[in-house]
Amino acid sequence: MRMRSGFLSLGCLQYSAVILATWISAAATGQEATTPAAGAAGAAPAAAAPADAAPAEAAKAEPVKEGHSVHGEVFNEGPRQAAWLMPGMGAVRFPATSVSEEARLFVQQGVAQLHGYWYFESERSFRQAAMLDPDCAIAYWGMAMSNRGNPGRAKGFIAEGMKRREKASRREKLLIEAFDRLINAKADNDGERESRANRYVSDLEDLLLEFPDDIETKTILCEFFWAGRREGLKMPSQLAVDAMIQEVLDVEPLHPVHHFRIHLWDGRKPEKALQSSALGGLASPGIAHMWHMPGHIYSRLRRYHDAVWQQEASARVDHAHMMRDRVLPDQIHNFAHNNEWCIRNMIAIGRAFDAEALAGNMLSLPQHPKYNDINRIGSFRYGRERLLEVLEAFERWDRIAALQSNVSYADSGNTEEDLKRDRATGAALAALGRTVEAAAIRAKLQASLDGEKQKQSEAVAEAEKKAREAKSDDKAIEKARKDAEQKFAGNLRRLEKAIQEIDGRGALAAGDAAKALELLTAAEIPVEQLALLQQKAGKTEDAIKKIADRVNSKNGEVLPLAAQTEILFAAGRRDEAKASFEKLRKLSSTIDLAVPRMARLAPIAAEFGFPADWRLPAENPGDLGVRPELDALGPFRWSPSAASEWTLPGVDEMPRSLSDYRGRPVVVVFYLGYGCLHCAEQLKAIAKDYQSFREAGLEVIAISTDKQVNLKRALENLEGGFPFPLAADPELGVFRKYRCYDDFEKVPLHGTFLVDAKGRVRWQDISFEPFMNTQFLVKESKRLLSFEPETAPAVTVPITVLPVVTSAGR
């Protein structure tokens, strides 16, 4: 069958099905997959470098701290455990100059991961290549490209590439030099940033003029035309960039460049990226972000069921990777964004229970001050926010009220986030008629409001005083007053609206709809709920108009249609109510009927002669391509992995085992011997706070790189000793099991782990530095141990899609 513009050919479908089946089979068994027609691996094979070869020259200036890289600061951060040739990375064609065939394969894998924005793993792949061949210049370019958003590290990596560029091919040399100029150019102002971006484009174009068949550099250039806009780069023409993307796809139909076509058209004409949306995940099925990106297009087009499918697929692939390779969830930079957006889209299609479950799972993930806590945009903060959002949207007031005892909603120190919690719980209690509890929260918020007003008055007076002392004119004095006043305006507004919502929910529970309408309008509650309240308060025509506007502006979402059906039916406009209900049914395949918002429709459905389960199966839009079963991609929710068992000699020559602690949670510390001064500081800090650990129900054991005899000597030399046992692992076998080992430099790393009573790793830190924040560790351990984590994949709504594709758009 001929492939026409805007259509997927049967051959392309068959090819993508083969790719998908191969990847799923390999991922399930942990084996490497081979991709049909995946392109050349690189230069001709030659003898591989020694496996323990160093990727850079050793630092000579001063002794290197234990755990730090001998190759300099930029190598301290990032992945330090070995890469493996993963299945499903994508069909890229990137010849690399190396004496090692395996290094060339890892470079190729790293380039595919770069195209999928999987920077944590792309750096790992390039590091593996450099370990296999220390003179593989393009490997350092890859490390630098993986850190484009971290200029300090990128500069350090590209400097290593520049040292070796004469050993690379002409094409590789041009890539290295182009990025070196980009990352090292002045960028202190908009003009300098635009200038360096334009120079980079020019450098890549020069390379392509010399190597016109280089589809990977074309892909890199297409990506930069989109990403470079933040630096002031002017995209020459979206159609021109799209044409270059098509040049890549004409050579390799399932190339990861589909990712960048989606970005290209996302904000302007998403229909142009429908074909790439159908093929994006198939192009690199092992990279979660490649499943995520089509969700952008489907969301833009209000195809929320299709968007959720993509985002759920992404979540599952990420969960599988993180659980298999023991990576902390938020070390993958775009993981939390995918899952929180998936929750929002689940709300749009009525998947209330799955949305709640996924939000709860985000909230249950381990926090780490470096990656994910209440003050960072990550899983924990998103989890708190989205869980409240989904429960409020479906009016599950009892579930919100229950969060008062949830340790993840304890005071966090983030004023704005804690206010969101107080507003939601206070409003829920008021809605449930639990007036005493609601009043207590309201009184707390009122005290905060009064305190903020007092601070505002004092700040305004102080600003005026300083302005007058400076002999400012009246205009400057008034500006100083307003500036001081404005600093408090946002928090005052949030407090006022929180109190208004609590009062409004209480008034509604007491039967005073008119007062509730006044208060809840000021509180700016969701439009659907406000329209329903207008109808209760007798303002029927206002309610009908408001909800009609909402339905029009939120096309494809179920909650506005549900509210519209209720309002029209209550108004006696049965025909219009039935028409609205029919529209809702077309979107209803995944609605959870038991939540209050939907349960209220049951008598209306019966009145119209609809079945008790009035949902209809989803229609196949015909342009989705080949989709796997979601369960084949990974678990719907993340769960902790089992800790590896170990038995090691202790100071007293008696064996110590992880199994000794079964039934009790234990903190396991990996430290780098008695000669490591910052390790000693960590152990002393734990010893100082040991009572806090014990009060939290935590045991502690520290595992050293020392031999048993040295372990005993070190303990004897330490005044006071340690209140917890030490164990010796001089062969580093347990260090390796727990990934506290730099596979590239063959040295141990610092590690701290929380293993729960059932032997599962609930929290971890592996680094070039020991984890010193013992108070955080105790607090987070208490939080994590207060609930039982996920243990098995959740059952999701089955989605059956026939592998038939019609118009997909391009």
Side-chain angles (χ1 to χ4, degrees), residues 537-563:
K539 297 183 178 294
T540 301
E541 292 305 317
D542 290 346
I544 291 172
K545 182 180 186 306
K546 181 176 284 291
I547 198 61
D549 291 342
R550 184 67 167 176
V551 167
N552 289 334
S553 66
K554 295 293 181 179
N555 182 37
E557 300 187 25
V558 302
L559 288 176
L561 284 167

Side-chain angles (χ1 to χ4, degrees), residues 83-85 102-110 125-126 128-129 132:
W84 57 290
L85 293 173
E102 194 176 3
R104 290 194 289 273
L105 291 173
F106 276 108
V107 167
Q108 188 157 272
Q109 173 168 282
S125 293
F126 289 119
Q128 186 78 16
L132 293 164

Side-chain angles (χ1 to χ4, degrees), residues 217-520:
T217 298
K218 287 180 182 178
T219 300
I220 291 167
L221 179 57
C222 289
E223 188 276 340
F224 192 74
F225 273 129
W226 173 79
R229 295 177 303 169
R230 69 194 67 172
E231 299 198 13
L233 181 67
K234 303 294 190 296
M235 188 181 296
S237 160
Q238 283 179 260
L239 289 171
V241 175
D242 189 84
M244 187 182 296
I245 289 172
Q246 191 57 43
E247 287 181 12
V248 175
L249 295 174
D250 287 342
V251 176
E252 185 55 71
L254 280 182
H255 193 278
V257 77
H258 285 294
H259 177 186
F260 305 129
R261 175 173 276 163
I262 292 171
H263 274 304
L264 181 68
W265 294 112
D266 184 16
R268 185 175 181 185
K269 195 169 182 60
E271 297 88 345
K272 295 282 287 180
L274 275 172
Q275 186 182 59
S276 285
S277 296
L279 295 175
L282 301 175
S284 300
I287 299 178
H289 192 66
M290 294 296 290
W291 292 104
H292 162 85
M293 281 307 302
H296 282 244
I297 298 302
Y298 296 132
S299 293
R300 290 278 187 185
L301 296 174
R302 310 291 180 89
R303 292 172 54 172
Y304 296 113
H305 288 84
D306 293 329
V308 165
W309 192 95
Q310 296 292 156
Q311 291 159 340
E312 185 177 337
S314 176
R316 287 171 177 271
V317 172
D318 257 338
H319 293 158
H321 159 68
M322 293 182 297
M323 292 162 64
R324 180 189 63 235
D325 288 356
R326 299 189 181 187
V327 174
L328 274 179
D330 285 86
Q331 287 182 271
I332 308 301
H333 79 282
N334 41 30
F335 161 75
H337 161 62
N338 173 78
N339 286 21
E340 68 85 17
W341 194 355
C342 184
I343 292 164
R344 286 186 282 132
N345 281 341
M346 282 179 170
I347 293 172
I349 63 175
R351 277 179 69 177
F353 298 142
D354 278 345
E356 179 184 356
L358 190 55
N361 189 242
M362 291 187 78
L363 195 57
S364 74
L365 297 178
Q367 290 187 75
H368 192 291
K370 193 173 182 179
Y371 308 113
N372 166 34
D373 61 27
I374 194 65
N375 297 311
R376 297 173 183 269
I377 299 297
S379 292
F380 183 72
R381 182 164 167 179
Y382 272 140
R384 273 181 56 134
E385 292 177 353
R386 295 294 171 260
L387 184 54
L388 290 176
E389 186 177 343
V390 65
L391 295 176
E392 288 171 332
F394 294 99
E395 299 178 15
R396 303 190 71 198
W397 309 123
D398 57 330
R399 299 287 293 163
I400 297 175
L403 295 178
Q404 293 180 99
S405 61
N406 186 320
V407 68
S408 295
Y409 281 92
D411 286 342
S412 67
N414 185 307
T415 302
E416 188 172 342
E417 292 302 312
D418 288 342
L419 175 54
K420 291 176 184 176
R421 172 207 61 197
D422 290 340
R423 173 175 177 168
T425 53
L429 290 166
L432 292 167
R434 292 161 61 174
T435 55
V436 175
E437 295 166 88
I441 293 177
R442 189 201 185 285
K444 173 185 171 184
L445 296 177
Q446 185 65 56
S448 296
L449 178 61
D450 294 341
E452 284 293 295
K453 286 181 176 178
Q454 180 63 32
K455 291 177 186 177
Q456 184 186 50
S457 297
E458 292 171 357
V460 168
E462 181 65 19
E464 180 177 350
K465 177 184 175 184
K466 288 183 178 179
R468 291 190 184 281
E469 289 174 350
K471 302 190 183 305
S472 302
D473 59 23
D474 290 346
K475 185 176 181 180
I477 292 172
E478 183 59 24
K479 183 179 185 303
R481 285 174 55 85
K482 286 185 175 179
D483 287 347
E485 188 178 76
Q486 190 60 33
K487 291 179 181 179
F488 295 83
N491 204 31
L492 287 173
R493 184 168 56 251
R494 286 187 288 270
L495 283 163
E496 287 167 352
K497 291 186 182 302
I499 292 170
Q500 288 164 344
E501 181 170 3
I502 293 172
D503 290 345
R505 300 287 184 191
L508 184 59
D512 191 342
K515 183 178 179 182
L517 178 59
E518 178 186 352
L519 288 165
L520 295 176

Side-chain angles (χ1 to χ4, degrees), residues 169-181:
S169 68
R170 165 75 176 163
R171 172 183 147 277
E172 293 168 295
K173 181 179 177 183
L174 291 175
L175 279 171
I176 292 167
E177 291 174 345
F179 189 79
D180 178 69
R181 280 189 288 271

Side-chain angles (χ1 to χ4, degrees), residues 773-785:
N773 192 340
T774 57
Q775 292 183 353
F776 175 91
L777 179 56
V778 171
K779 182 179 179 181
E780 177 62 2
S781 295
K782 289 170 67 176
R783 184 185 78 88
L784 291 170
L785 295 172

